[in-house]
Amino acid sequence: MSSDSFLKEMQTIGEKFLLKLQKLPKADPVEIVSFCVVLLFIVTVLVLMIIACSCCCYSCCSCDGRPDHRRRKIRVRPDAH
């Protein structure tokens, strides 16, 4: 997908979203609730992605941005018989 077609697709989605927001005050309660549920789902997925990325970044980097190699050098030795 080229960048032009991607931008057009994003613009189309944005226009549909704005149109839906404009029609929302006149909509019936079921449509309002379903729109809120879909919106809540999208926000939840985005928040979970941010949390996952921050946890992944935190696990391989310390607070100052340098990797913490001390945790990776722990080796398991076999038991002696």
Side-chain angles (χ1 to χ4, degrees), residues 15 21 25 27 35 62 64 76 80:
E15 288 172 357
L21 282 177
F35 182 76
S62 61
D64 58 358
V76 178

Side-chain angles (χ1 to χ4, degrees), residues 7-69:
L7 289 176
K8 285 183 181 180
E9 188 70 28
M10 292 302 294
Q11 183 178 5
T12 304
I13 291 172
E15 288 172 357
K16 287 180 183 179
F17 182 73
L18 287 176
L19 185 64
K20 185 64 113 174
L21 282 177
Q22 289 172 352
K23 291 182 178 180
L24 202 56
K26 301 172 193 169
D28 57 339
V30 174
E31 191 174 355
I32 293 173
V33 169
S34 63
F35 182 76
C36 290
V37 167
V38 170
L39 195 62
L40 182 66
F41 175 76
I42 292 170
V43 168
T44 303
V45 168
L46 290 175
V47 167
L48 288 175
M49 284 177 51
I50 290 170
I51 291 171
C53 290
S54 64
C55 289
C56 179
C57 189
Y58 181 77
S59 69
C60 67
C61 300
S62 61
C63 293
D64 58 358
R66 294 181 299 178
D68 187 12
H69 296 291

Side-chain angles (χ1 to χ4, degrees), residues 59 68-78:
S59 69
D68 187 12
H69 296 291
R70 289 179 286 167
R71 288 188 280 183
R72 303 214 187 264
K73 290 186 178 181
I74 298 172
R75 294 187 181 176
V76 178
R77 297 183 183 174

